[in-house]
Amino acid sequence: MEKTALLEMKGITKKFGTVLANDHIDLQLYPGEIHALLGENGSGKSTLMNILLGIYKPNFGDIFYKGEKGQIKTPKHAAELGIGMVHQHFALIPTLTVAENIFLSLDHCSFILDKKKMESKIREYSEQFSLQVDPGAKVWQLSVGEQQRVEIMKLLCRNSEILVLDEPSAVLTPQEAGEMFRTLRKMADHGKSVIFISHKMNEVVEHADRITVLKNGRVTDRMLAEEASIDRMTKAVVGERDIEKILIRSQIKTERLLLEANHLRVLNDKGLVALHDISFQLHAGEIFAIAGVAGSGQRELAEALAGLRKVASGKLSLKGKDITRKNIRERVTQGISFIPEDRLKMGLIPGMNMKENALLKEFRGFAYNKGGILQSKAIRSLTERHIAAHDIKHGGLDLPVSLMSGGNQQKLLIAREINGNPELIIAAYPVRGLDIGATASIHKTLLEQRERGACILLISEELDEIFEMSDRVAVLCGGKLMGIRNISETNYEEIGQMMSGESA
Amino acid sequence: MKKGTLRFEKKQTVSLRRKILNPVVFILLGFVFSSIFIIANGFQPIPVFAKMISYSLLNTKGLIGSINAALPLMFCGLSVAIAFKMNLNNIGAEGQFAMGAIFGGAFALYGPSLSAPLSSVVMFFLCALGGCLWALLAAALKAFWKVNETIVTLMLNYIALLFLDYLCYGPWMAPKQTTAMTVKIPESLFLPVINGTSSGLILAILVAVLLYLFLKYTAAGYQISVIKNSLSTAEYAGIPVKKFILIVLALSGALAGIAGFVQVTGIVHRVQAQLPGGSGYTGIVIAYLSQCNPLAIILVSVLFGALQNSSSVVQIMGVPSQIVTMLQGTLMISVIAGEFFNRYRIAFYKAERNDYTSERNDDNQEPKKRNDDNQESKKGAVQ
Amino acid sequence: MIPFITSICAAAIVYAVSILYAAIGEIFSQRAGIMNLGIEGIMLMGAMTGFVTVYHTENLLFALLSTIIVGLVLGLAFAFLTVTLQADQTVCGMAFLIFCSGLSGFLGKSVTGIASAVKFQQIDIPVLSSIPVIGEIFFQQDFFVYLMYLVIPLSIFYIYKTKAGLMLRALGENPASLDQAGINVFAMRYGYIMFACAMTTISGACISLSYTNFWNEGMTGGKGWIAFSLVAFSRWNPAYAVLGALLFGGISILGMNMQVYLPGIPSQFYGMLPYAATIIALIITTGSFRKKHSEEPAALCQKYDREDR
């Protein structure tokens, strides 16, 4: 390649405590190219980009920008140099309008806001890069895809030359993702350089010019898109370790009807309809997956089933008994347990210790609560049983659970939730953000529960997980149920299409 | 970064010794800090403090006076503390105190005369009821309509005090009196005095111990602490949060009402305008300095009782009695500032490398994930 | 009847202005994500400082300046505790309430109950003041009222029409996003807290230098709290704060006047009116039976810690 690199990162090393997040990483970026950073969660992609953005400082290594060696001190400094990033969690202010959000990101603008000028500028970019945004809309009214466009628009208005996007397709339907990548290509054609982080090999091959693969903080491979193959990338991403499928599932034993949902309609926090007229049936001994892009109504569905959210209309019945109006406590006693998506916000009490967390669903039981007095011995032995059964690593029973790693927190939560042999386990994203070891252990636990005869409602965004684990899958899109398929009779393409709203 | 830099780094755990030592050190610093204002007002701080301590703590008579002055403070401190235990800001102890005194006073002055122990018991419960009902007003608004309890309890203070004022200047005013006070309550209602100390002390210690056991060892105490730590998890566990708001604030109000009981039956023996005299606010300071530990509240209250007790002696030196409130505020601010050093340690960064030299006990933790895991919201749990 | 109404309206304006400085200051502070519960105490410090200065110098300008300086210093201390040391804002506010009430009583003891020789006098604006009724209500007032006529439009313009106001609104919603854009979140919060405290002390000065001309311990009598509840009532918009302040002013002044016309009811019950009105207003405006999109700044009362991002 005869072009000179716009950006060169050389020997970047970053340590967190004793963990090496980045180990001598080299990266070149050329003008007008789309560069993909491929790797699993925790492989060091985000750390590297945060160093480029000046959020973290590297322990070693140099950055050359436009041929000059320099240090990127702060995010502001990066912005001045023309480097901008769209984070996975958008930095938008929901109560402000699109134009106001963009004003905020500009360093140089007049003290008194000139809305007209801003709006015409936004329209100009909208046309140039086919990036549809309404400058007057309030951000909280926008869909996730539209919000992402606002973030990209912010970078354009700042005249960024390098645009970094962290997992940009994670929150989008396949269609929206395609549109977003077309926009990125247009920007590359206009001479801008794009880096995007991803763990999906398909989209990397399809949309990037060059690919850098990271694993455990090291670069394991570099290739042009033409040279890439799924095999080569898999080897670089996963390493030499065999991709073994330890999960062996037996046939569903019974067809016993457990839960029936009839024409459910549920509202979200803003009072808008989150689930329209949903009906399905769950059977004992099956894993029933809910697929869909983020925000399709999965959270509302899980909360409605668990009893945390009111059902606006429709009927829920468990083993023939109507539970539509039952509260969460009554549902727990009837055998429904719930593993929420964000364990530190709901599910665990981060500031309290393991014993107190293990007690959360049991404190009414006679073994632990005699006449209102808590039985500390019984609670301790309960906690120790959980620890032994699920191989939970911890620093002590009396330390707050916020000090444990995410995987061990999740194991504790699941141990508590399956204690007492519930008949229905609602598991929302049970392995999100966890390492491979913890993921395998949790999947094993869920399959054991299935063997026992429990029904598991597994909410996931990862089609791999769904196809590996579940017996049947239902697809949600925009709060509507697109269809239910037996996993043996469907494929990725069909489910992907249903997720984007094309009913098959 | 050419030279090494100092940085504050979050601590994960705090030792018990540190937890106790830290406030003590900062209370002392608070006294130093308040000296500035004492000097600014034209007095010598050391003689003032020396006089205050020697008068109110270092002799039996003074100590007894301090303990008696501390009695209503103990109950107010307990009242505020139990609400804090669930992240509820009950700053209405002052008004609940007044309502307790009004309910109890109505019985003492106009109620049927009962035999000695029974009448005290009835009055005790009436005082508790008065405070309880006044707090329940705010509690109901909070539980059912999510109205901010801080402002409501405070506004109710002014209303209760004005009502007390009305009674003591109006229908309840003792004949041939110029000050706003009622006649003395019947002597059968007086709390017994043992060696000069009101037996209210025994009551206070008893209540504090019960409260301590309640919070630490009962299922209700456990649920309260779950609600404080994470409201959403409490709802997830099916804990009836609304019910607990009502129970805890009612209990809090009842305790403040009992402060009215000990004040009326143990100390002033009548109802008068401005009876609480700021005890409700002092209760906030006491609860905070004691970190809401009921047993610590008893001890800290004695310190504050001593402060209040010594206000009369410093007045003889010409120092305004408001020095007491000023000191309370200074001590509280000082301890708040000191809290920081319980949560953080100072780490030293060397020049060339960004590794720090201080020991870390959290190496086995995952590196901070910027996005999902660690965004634990620390906003007041009960909203 | 008309003179009675105009005098009531004029008095309501004076009352409203005396809480509006604090309320508008607190709007800025809460928009920046910081809740200052200590308003009542800080107001007392302002009243005491202003009065003590006037008492010793007989110079109103000095009094105003010293009041503002005390406000800034208190704000600096509050910001240090809540922003730098990341102390709990509610607890800190209560500490300031107690500290400032005590300190004002302590330092002001020597001048308690003595009338000062000078106070802010009524200034009739030429021409405008001679308009019947309206002139009497709006243009026969003193310095603080006229200054407020400027503060109201300026604060609305600042919050909604300028870049700095936009940043302020963002600060209370999502400080992390501002920090990422390289804006010094901590400095901004320091600035707004100090501004809010200075405004609050000016409110105090209104009471001891214009409303009356003496100092008394606890003389604000809950006005700080009314200003505080006005903030949620106004949904963080100074324009609504003006309306609310006039409402509270009207109720209080009416209460005081009714005493003369309806002497059968004891004065204490009239005294309860503004507090009861505050509770009712709070229920109406913030009660959860209202199904409206909440406008409370999302980051209000949350400490901002870079490491927690």
Side-chain angles (χ1 to χ4, degrees):
Chain A
M1 208 163 281
E2 59 272 83
K3 277 196 281 185
T4 48
L6 176 66
L7 171 85
E8 233 183 319
M9 298 175 87
K10 274 190 184 165
I12 300 292
T13 301
K14 175 71 186 170
K15 273 200 234 176
F16 290 104
T18 53
V19 181
L20 256 180
N22 282 175
D23 186 5
H24 293 92
I25 293 187
D26 296 334
L27 181 85
Q28 292 89 32
L29 182 69
Y30 297 94
E33 75 164 354
I34 298 184
H35 191 126
L37 272 184
L38 182 67
E40 289 192 304
N41 285 335
S43 58
K45 299 164 297 183
S46 296
T47 308
L48 184 68
M49 287 302 103
N50 282 330
I51 288 171
L52 177 61
L53 263 288
I55 296 170
Y56 295 152
K57 287 194 183 66
N59 298 79
F60 301 103
D62 298 311
I63 299 174
F64 296 87
Y65 183 62
K66 293 182 178 165
E68 277 175 55
K69 182 179 165 180
Q71 209 185 5
I72 297 169
K73 293 169 201 128
T74 59
K76 192 173 184 174
H77 185 206
E80 280 162 11
L81 293 172
I83 306 172
M85 178 158 172
V86 176
H87 290 270
Q88 221 174 344
H89 292 247
F90 304 142
L92 294 172
I93 303 198
T95 50
L96 302 182
T97 66
V98 170
E100 284 175 330
N101 267 287
I102 293 171
F103 269 127
L104 266 179
S105 67
L106 298 181
D107 289 325
H108 307 289
C109 82
S110 54
F111 185 72
I112 294 167
L113 303 174
D114 188 347
K115 279 198 181 134
K116 284 218 177 98
K117 200 173 142 199
M118 169 62 69
E119 282 172 15
S120 70
K121 198 170 167 188
I122 290 173
R123 286 211 184 82
E124 185 193 317
Y125 283 126
S126 283
E127 277 169 33
Q128 194 177 353
F129 299 108
S130 57
L131 197 65
Q132 279 307 312
V133 283
D134 170 10
K138 290 250 163 92
V139 166
W140 63 268
Q141 298 168 319
L142 302 182
S143 73
V144 188
E146 288 170 307
Q147 291 187 15
Q148 190 180 54
R149 281 179 239 152
V150 178
E151 283 282 10
I152 295 173
M153 182 64 81
K154 259 162 76 171
L155 300 186
L156 290 174
C157 289
R158 257 174 19 195
N159 296 319
S160 299
E161 288 181 60
I162 298 179
L163 292 93
V164 182
L165 294 97
D166 191 356
E167 301 267 2
S169 65
V171 292
L172 303 180
T173 63
Q175 279 177 324
E176 281 178 317
E179 217 172 283
M180 187 250 331
F181 280 116
R182 274 194 291 283
T183 302
L184 294 187
R185 179 52 68 194
K186 275 195 181 169
M187 296 195 298
D189 292 344
H190 278 80
K192 295 189 187 294
S193 305
V194 178
I195 303 178
F196 76 90
I197 296 176
S198 178
H199 65 268
K200 295 179 189 162
M201 294 174 205
N202 291 336
E203 72 178 27
V204 165
V205 180
E206 211 173 312
H207 301 291
D209 298 319
R210 284 192 316 129
I211 303 160
T212 299
V213 187
L214 293 187
K215 177 180 154 42
N216 290 340
R218 291 196 196 92
V219 176
T220 46
D221 203 352
R222 267 178 249 274
M223 61 197 102
L224 291 171
E226 301 93 80
E227 310 162 353
S229 69
I230 297 288
D231 275 352
R232 183 175 167 184
M233 285 189 288
T234 312
K235 214 178 140 206
V237 169
V238 186
E240 297 304 321
R241 186 171 6 94
D242 293 324
I243 320 154
E244 48 173 340
K245 298 250 173 183
I246 45 155
L247 312 168
I248 305 144
R249 281 186 285 127
S250 60
Q251 282 296 307
I252 300 174
K253 286 173 196 152
T254 57
E255 278 286 321
R256 191 161 57 85
L257 180 65
L258 185 66
L259 180 125
E260 194 171 9
N262 266 324
H263 305 289
L264 280 193
R265 207 169 67 96
V266 178
L267 306 182
N268 66 12
D269 293 335
K270 287 176 196 155
L272 307 172
V273 180
L275 289 177
H276 305 262
D277 195 25
I278 304 256
S279 300
F280 56 86
Q281 294 181 334
L282 301 181
H283 302 98
E286 72 166 344
I287 295 185
F288 185 83
I290 304 283
V293 295
S296 299
Q298 297 98 322
R299 193 161 76 91
E300 287 79 5
L301 177 63
E303 291 182 356
L305 292 183
L308 278 168
R309 189 174 285 275
K310 268 191 196 143
V311 174
S313 68
K315 193 179 157 196
L316 269 178
S317 47
L318 186 74
K319 290 184 285 181
K321 271 184 277 175
D322 186 2
I323 58 162
T324 318
R325 299 277 164 247
K326 294 269 187 284
N327 64 28
I328 181 153
R329 237 179 99 179
E330 292 161 313
R331 292 192 202 192
V332 169
T333 50
Q334 292 183 21
I336 298 182
S337 85
F338 178 29
I339 301 161
E341 55 183 299
D342 186 348
R343 59 187 163 268
L344 290 184
K345 233 176 177 174
M346 181 190 282
L348 293 177
I349 319 140
M352 291 171 81
N353 65 33
M354 285 184 79
K355 287 183 290 181
E356 288 164 322
N357 273 287
L359 184 64
L360 192 65
K361 287 281 175 80
E362 317 277 353
F363 67 86
R364 293 182 190 92
F366 185 69
Y368 310 103
N369 174 353
K370 293 204 165 84
I373 312 292
L374 295 176
Q375 306 297 308
S376 58
K377 266 192 197 150
I379 297 165
R380 170 174 281 269
S381 77
L382 169 78
T383 317
E384 279 164 353
R385 276 207 306 280
H386 287 340
I387 291 170
H390 296 272
D391 188 26
I392 301 171
K393 304 221 167 35
H394 62 95
L397 291 186
D398 294 313
L399 288 180
V401 294
S402 58
L403 299 182
M404 294 170 28
S405 75
N408 286 311
Q409 289 172 346
Q410 188 74 341
K411 282 186 196 170
L412 175 66
L413 173 61
I414 290 176
R416 187 186 73 204
E417 288 306 311
I418 62 173
N419 193 29
N421 297 332
E423 294 191 77
L424 171 62
I425 301 167
I426 305 160
Y429 313 100
V431 297
R432 186 152 76 181
L434 303 185
D435 59 41
I436 294 171
T439 302
S441 150
I442 285 166
H443 279 164
K444 196 169 135 254
T445 308
L446 291 178
L447 286 174
E448 281 165 9
Q449 291 298 309
R450 174 181 174 274
E451 288 297 307
R452 184 176 62 72
C455 169
I456 294 155
L457 186 93
L458 173 70
I459 298 176
S460 175
E461 280 160 10
E462 301 292 331
L463 287 185
D464 287 339
E465 186 186 15
I466 289 172
F467 275 86
E468 229 171 83
M469 295 281 296
S470 64
D471 300 297
R472 291 194 298 151
V473 53
V475 184
L476 282 178
C477 175
K480 292 198 180 77
L481 188 62
M482 303 311 293
I484 300 174
R485 296 286 180 275
N486 283 326
I487 212 79
S488 49
E489 294 158 12
T490 186
N491 52 36
Y492 279 51
E493 283 67 37
E494 190 189 16
I495 301 298
Q497 270 177 5
M498 286 160 78
M499 281 165 70
S500 63
E502 298 165 30
S503 42
Chain B
M1 279 200 289
K2 278 273 149 45
K3 286 179 190 166
T5 46
L6 281 176
R7 259 198 59 168
F8 293 115
E9 184 185 320
K10 242 183 208 158
K11 276 204 247 183
Q12 308 287 12
T13 49
V14 188
S15 68
L16 183 70
R17 215 186 84 205
R18 195 65 201 267
K19 245 182 182 163
I20 297 168
L21 202 65
N22 199 45
V24 172
V25 169
F26 276 88
I27 282 179
L28 292 178
L29 281 176
F31 276 105
V32 175
F33 184 57
S34 61
S35 309
I36 300 170
F37 303 113
I38 296 173
I39 294 168
N41 213 5
F43 301 99
Q44 290 290 321
I46 292 168
V48 172
F49 289 146
K51 188 85 188 172
M52 288 170 88
I53 292 167
S54 69
Y55 175 81
S56 62
L57 286 173
L58 298 183
N59 63 76
T60 330
K61 188 169 162 272
L63 193 61
I64 287 170
S66 301
I67 289 172
N68 285 341
L71 284 180
L73 301 182
M74 290 173 187
F75 286 101
C76 287
L78 292 172
S79 159
V80 177
I82 177 133
F84 270 165
K85 278 278 181 192
M86 222 176 83
N87 274 356
L88 292 166
N89 298 313
N90 176 16
I91 50 179
E94 188 89 353
Q96 290 141 19
F97 185 135
M99 283 319 262
I102 290 169
F103 270 55
F107 169 76
L109 299 169
Y110 303 101
S113 46
L114 302 168
S115 57
L118 182 66
S119 62
S120 285
V121 171
V122 170
M123 176 150 171
F124 174 85
F125 282 108
L126 277 173
C127 287
L129 181 71
C132 172
L133 290 177
W134 206 236
L136 270 175
L137 264 180
L141 290 175
K142 168 81 177 177
F144 299 118
W145 291 336
K146 294 187 179 168
V147 178
N148 184 328
E149 80 286 359
T150 316
I151 302 175
V152 175
T153 50
L154 189 106
M155 290 294 149
L156 288 174
N157 280 351
Y158 286 101
I159 295 176
L161 288 177
L162 279 166
F163 187 57
L164 178 67
D165 210 44
Y166 155 72
L167 290 175
C168 295
Y169 273 110
W172 287 13
M173 196 166 166
K176 294 177 205 141
Q177 268 286 359
T178 47
T179 43
M181 52 172 65
T182 64
V183 293
K184 280 210 167 182
I185 58 169
E187 256 179 63
S188 61
L189 283 168
F190 287 13
L191 278 181
V193 175
I194 307 157
N195 288 337
T197 317
S198 168
S199 54
L201 180 64
I202 298 165
L203 188 66
I205 292 172
L206 190 71
V207 169
V209 170
L210 282 178
L211 206 57
Y212 178 80
L213 296 175
F214 170 74
L215 289 170
K216 190 147 189 205
Y217 295 108
T218 67
Y222 168 74
Q223 293 176 70
I224 289 172
S225 105
V226 172
I227 296 172
K228 179 195 172 85
N229 277 284
S230 171
L231 182 62
S232 49
T233 298
E235 279 169 348
Y236 156 83
I239 295 174
V241 176
K242 281 181 187 174
K243 198 170 112 192
F244 271 98
I245 292 176
L246 295 172
I247 292 175
V248 166
L249 274 180
L251 197 57
S252 172
L255 286 167
I258 296 171
F261 172 76
V262 294
Q263 182 82 338
V264 172
T265 58
I267 296 157
V268 294
H269 300 309
R270 50 160 56 95
V271 181
Q272 59 191 40
Q274 301 301 323
L275 185 78
S279 301
Y281 301 108
T282 310
I284 299 169
V285 185
I286 292 170
Y288 183 76
L289 295 191
S290 323
Q291 290 166 354
C292 296
N293 180 327
L295 305 178
I297 285 173
I298 299 292
L299 294 175
V300 175
S301 295
V302 174
L303 176 74
F304 278 76
L307 265 181
Q308 222 146 62
N309 187 22
S310 57
S311 72
S312 58
V313 72
V314 293
Q315 264 179 302
I316 299 167
M317 297 170 80
V319 182
S321 63
Q322 285 80 359
I323 187 175
V324 174
T325 332
M326 188 273 286
L327 270 173
Q328 288 173 2
T330 326
L331 296 186
M332 188 167 172
I333 289 176
S334 177
V335 172
I336 288 172
E339 262 287 283
F340 181 79
F341 298 95
N342 263 349
R343 286 183 283 119
Y344 286 79
R345 82 180 86 208
I346 297 170
F348 187 69
Y349 282 71
K350 269 194 192 164
E352 308 93 331
R353 297 174 47 195
N354 281 359
D355 293 341
Y356 12 89
T357 51
S358 80
E359 284 173 55
R360 288 172 61 100
N361 56 3
D362 51 354
D363 278 348
N364 53 349
Q365 256 198 291
E366 297 178 325
K368 270 221 154 141
K369 276 202 210 73
R370 287 176 34 75
N371 298 328
D372 28 63
D373 276 11
N374 292 306
Q375 282 195 344
E376 166 208 343
S377 153
K378 285 177 187 141
K379 197 173 184 180
V382 181
Q383 286 170 1
Chain C
M1 199 60 195
I2 286 175
F4 173 70
I5 289 170
T6 46
S7 75
I8 292 242
C9 289
I13 285 180
V14 173
Y15 186 100
V17 165
S18 71
I19 55 176
L20 260 180
Y21 283 101
I24 290 178
E26 183 73 9
I27 286 175
F28 277 84
S29 169
Q30 293 199 5
R31 284 241 182 222
I34 301 284
M35 185 160 98
N36 189 345
L37 269 177
I39 292 195
E40 175 85 4
I42 294 165
M43 219 158 148
L44 279 168
M45 279 300 287
M48 187 276 298
T49 312
F51 183 79
V52 168
T53 318
V54 151
Y55 183 79
H56 289 294
T57 65
E58 303 205 343
N59 185 324
L60 289 169
L61 185 66
F62 283 177
L64 204 56
L65 283 178
S66 62
T67 303
I68 291 171
I69 289 168
V70 164
L72 293 175
V73 171
L74 287 172
L76 189 65
F78 194 81
F80 179 71
L81 288 173
T82 52
V83 178
T84 305
L85 298 189
Q86 298 180 353
D88 185 285
Q89 292 174 20
T90 323
V91 173
C92 244
M94 292 188 204
F96 262 64
L97 169 72
I98 293 161
F99 168 70
C100 291
S101 323
L103 186 62
S104 62
F106 181 65
L107 296 177
K109 182 71 181 176
S110 55
V111 293
T112 298
I114 309 168
S116 65
V118 287
K119 65 175 262 194
F120 281 94
Q121 297 296 333
Q122 179 183 323
I123 306 162
D124 294 352
I125 303 269
V127 187
L128 290 175
S129 63
S130 49
I131 304 171
V133 187
I134 291 178
E136 243 172 275
I137 296 175
F138 293 100
F139 300 109
Q140 297 181 11
Q141 301 280 12
D142 68 8
F143 167 76
F144 287 112
V145 178
Y146 299 133
L147 182 63
M148 184 47 77
Y149 292 166
L150 283 178
V151 168
I152 294 164
L154 277 179
S155 59
I156 295 170
F157 181 77
Y158 182 89
I159 291 177
Y160 294 102
K161 297 283 177 204
T162 69
K163 170 90 193 254
L166 186 59
M167 277 156 63
L168 170 61
R169 281 186 283 157
L171 183 58
E173 292 290 340
N174 188 349
S177 74
L178 282 185
D179 197 18
Q180 272 172 25
I183 294 159
N184 191 336
V185 172
F186 301 98
M188 270 178 83
R189 285 202 162 162
Y190 262 82
Y192 286 113
I193 294 171
M194 288 168 71
F195 170 76
C197 286
M199 289 286 275
T200 310
T201 48
I202 292 175
S203 252
C206 275
I207 296 169
S208 66
L209 299 179
S210 138
Y211 207 66
T212 61
N213 61 337
F214 60 85
W215 154 255
N216 218 339
E217 194 193 351
M219 73 185 299
T220 48
K223 274 189 173 179
W225 286 101
I226 295 176
F228 182 85
S229 38
L230 208 54
V231 175
F233 176 92
S234 72
R235 289 195 238 135
W236 295 269
N237 181 343
Y240 293 119
V242 174
L243 293 180
L246 287 172
L247 182 73
F248 285 124
I251 290 172
S252 311
I253 299 297
L254 264 178
M256 284 179 217
N257 281 283
M258 288 307 271
Q259 246 160 275
V260 183
Y261 293 93
L262 273 177
I265 300 171
S267 66
Q268 286 92 347
F269 289 91
Y270 290 113
M272 292 175 192
L273 272 178
Y275 310 116
T278 306
I279 293 177
I280 292 165
L282 204 65
I283 295 170
I284 294 170
T285 50
T286 66
S288 62
F289 47 81
R290 290 165 56 96
K291 294 260 185 243
K292 264 197 100 177
H293 183 68
S294 165
E295 274 152 77
E296 179 174 304
L300 182 60
C301 244
Q302 285 182 335
K303 49 195 161 208
Y304 178 60
D305 184 345
R306 269 204 174 138
E307 287 178 38
D308 283 346
R309 269 198 318 205

